[in-house]
Amino acid sequence: MVSSADILSAKILVVDDQEAHVELIKGMLRVAGYTSVESTTDPNEVCELYRKNRYSLILLDLQMPGMDGFQVMEGLKGIEATGYLPVLVTTAQRDHKLRALEAGAKDFVSKPFDQAELRARVHNILEVRLLNLETKNYSKALEETVRKLERSNMDLERFAFAASHDLQEPLRMITNYSQLLIEGHRGRLDSEAELCVDFITKGAKQMLDLLANLLTYTEAGADSWEPNEFIDLNAIFEKVKQKLKLAIEESGAVVSSGNLPTVLGHDARFVQLFQNLISNAIKYRGKQSPRIHVSAEYRHAEWRFAVTDNGIGINPEDFLTIFGVFKRLHGSAIPGTGIGLAICRRVVERYGGRIWVESTLGQGTTFYFTLPGSAGNS
Ligand code: ADP
């Protein structure tokens, strides 16, 4: 907010070829409390003075010998990149007022001066000008912050990508050599040593899964990735069911779907999305066999999908946090890396959609997500 102290200390330039007018205006401004008022009687000096001092307001006489106020305004326009003229013209001629406003002046004060009018107009014009500058500074600072965040985000993405990619190789070595150790020394290792190697293998395997998911997560956010083909989501659903065949059979799950649309996107990303949601619905099942249904509805120019299960449910206070990376609500009893839903969110958001959850503990969960509908989609 602009305070009255800011307004009273704003830089003002008074331009009038008549010394008496200059002194009169300066006197009025001084009485009103303005503390930073300069003046000149030479219109040729104005542009140079403005370039140096960037006044918040110029009180400009229009009729001056040699160079009139209109010419001064033309000169000022060349200095202000935005074309904004912080000019209040002072004139005795009625027809000059409109012309001055059309030439870019922000307001006018009539001669002979009226103290109250001058004070009100100077105050108003300064308030608007300072607010305008303040907004500009805020948006500049905001842009800079956004740029910095984008840069650091990109750095983090690159780091996560490189780390998850490069760490896979040494981990594979650990699992392979642990395997070799067990197989090559079968019967020769005591049970405690075998247990230790088993822990090493399991730990490394878990980390490999985590890195693979992290890699998928960073890839899903890669800039180069654009929706490029029409994908029949019925086919994706069948593909995912096939991939999850074992888990479906083991859990006795019934996985069904309504008619799903064809949307613009990328085959592998939709497989990830549906696979993560359906496999979670199987993983976080309750006492009864899982019943999972996938449906889609076209409303308000977008597709709204729902993946509904009858599983253990989610506490409402976790509805938002579960979409964060590494966020898990259940301990190691149920395997997972805590990245699945973060990947789903990334995929959906990259396509311009939203994802959210509704759930009742002990009864089941529905994950909703939207994808923009377009003329090509059906
Ligand atoms: P995870 O690898 O742990 O499954 P996700 O990111 O896929 O990671 O899910 C985050 C957490 O959200 C899970 O740990 C689980 O607690 C909860 N969750 C996800 N889907 C369901 C679901 N269908 N029913 C109940 N809880 C779920």
Side-chain angles (χ1 to χ4, degrees):
M1 268 311 286
V2 174
S3 68
S4 46
D6 292 332
I7 293 177
L8 291 175
S9 60
K11 280 186 181 176
I12 301 175
L13 178 70
V14 179
V15 186
D16 199 306
D17 61 309
Q18 294 189 37
E19 192 67 50
H21 282 165
V22 169
E23 287 312 315
L24 181 65
I25 297 175
K26 282 173 87 175
M28 285 178 169
L29 292 175
R30 210 173 303 122
V31 170
Y34 290 94
T35 54
S36 184
V37 184
E38 292 175 22
S39 62
T40 176
T41 51
D42 181 0
N44 294 295
E45 275 185 6
V46 177
C47 286
E48 198 43 44
L49 281 170
Y50 183 68
R51 205 174 270 123
K52 260 195 238 149
N53 300 309
R54 296 287 159 171
Y55 302 100
S56 299
L57 175 63
I58 301 175
L59 279 139
L60 181 65
D61 182 22
L62 283 182
Q63 274 183 306
M64 292 179 286
M67 185 182 199
D68 69 13
F70 292 104
Q71 289 168 302
V72 173
M73 282 197 276
E74 281 311 304
L76 287 171
K77 276 184 199 163
I79 302 173
E80 264 297 321
T82 57
Y84 183 94
L85 296 183
V87 169
L88 179 63
V89 294
T90 56
T91 178
Q93 279 182 270
R94 290 192 61 179
D95 59 327
H96 273 177
K97 290 173 186 169
L98 186 61
R99 224 184 110 200
L101 292 180
E102 282 170 353
K106 292 292 161 285
D107 204 354
F108 55 81
V109 187
S110 307
K111 286 181 182 175
F113 298 118
D114 172 275
Q115 167 99 21
E117 186 194 356
L118 183 85
R119 274 166 68 162
R121 291 193 192 269
V122 165
H123 180 277
N124 288 352
I125 203 171
L126 277 174
E127 189 175 43
V128 173
R129 176 62 174 157
L130 295 183
L131 269 173
N132 177 287
L133 287 174
E134 200 175 66
T135 316
K136 245 195 227 156
N137 287 341
Y138 277 140
S139 67
K140 234 194 214 157
L142 199 68
E143 268 171 34
E144 185 52 28
T145 312
V146 169
R147 254 199 305 277
K148 271 190 198 152
L149 276 174
E150 276 173 357
R151 267 200 304 269
S152 81
N153 222 12
M154 262 166 62
D155 287 347
L156 274 174
E157 291 275 329
R158 268 191 222 118
F159 172 75
F161 183 83
S164 40
H165 186 265
D166 296 352
L167 284 173
Q168 282 185 336
E169 206 37 52
L171 273 171
R172 268 194 209 104
M173 274 172 62
I174 294 175
T175 36
N176 290 348
Y177 280 101
S178 312
Q179 216 74 49
L180 278 178
L181 194 65
I182 291 269
E183 280 160 21
H185 295 75
R186 203 170 291 285
R188 277 185 285 157
L189 291 178
D190 62 28
S191 57
E192 203 176 321
E194 272 191 23
L195 198 65
C196 285
V197 180
D198 195 41
F199 277 141
I200 293 173
T201 318
K202 278 199 183 118
K205 165 86 179 61
Q206 208 177 339
M207 218 159 153
L208 266 173
D209 287 347
L210 199 143
L211 291 180
N213 277 332
L214 204 56
L215 208 57
T216 311
Y217 177 75
T218 50
E219 277 168 358
D223 282 334
S224 57
W225 179 64
E226 291 294 332
N228 51 2
E229 343 162 38
F230 283 105
I231 307 291
D232 175 5
L233 294 179
N234 296 298
I236 297 289
F237 175 75
E238 290 306 323
K239 201 186 261 185
V240 168
K241 259 176 79 173
Q242 203 50 40
K243 288 182 97 175
L244 296 174
K245 198 165 183 272
L246 199 64
I248 292 174
E249 280 172 7
E250 274 176 6
S251 63
V254 176
V255 185
S256 58
S257 83
N259 191 30
L260 302 178
T262 292
V263 293
L264 251 185
H266 196 282
D267 187 277
R269 301 301 174 199
F270 287 127
V271 169
Q272 267 155 12
L273 178 61
F274 281 95
Q275 185 171 335
N276 289 355
L277 293 176
I278 296 172
S279 66
N280 274 353
I282 298 174
K283 235 174 23 173
Y284 301 105
R285 60 181 174 269
K287 292 206 168 63
Q288 329 89 302
S289 316
R291 298 187 76 83
I292 300 154
H293 186 70
V294 181
S295 60
E297 194 187 347
Y298 192 73
R299 33 149 71 192
H300 310 306
E302 61 183 14
W303 285 103
R304 195 187 77 168
F305 297 82
V307 180
T308 303
D309 66 50
N310 59 343
I312 55 177
I314 299 169
N315 205 323
E317 68 192 31
D318 296 311
F319 282 2
L320 286 178
T321 52
I322 50 169
F323 293 99
V325 179
F326 299 137
K327 183 67 192 176
R328 305 205 65 222
L329 305 179
H330 303 92
S332 53
I334 305 179
T337 56
I339 306 178
L341 288 179
I343 293 176
C344 291
R345 189 176 71 178
R346 251 198 175 183
V347 170
V348 169
E349 288 180 355
R350 285 306 301 245
Y351 286 132
R354 292 161 283 124
I355 186 166
W356 69 99
V357 66
E358 285 173 15
S359 181
T360 307
L361 270 180
Q363 289 187 26
T365 301
T366 299
F367 279 92
Y368 293 98
F369 62 91
T370 61
L371 293 174
S374 74
N377 301 356
S378 62

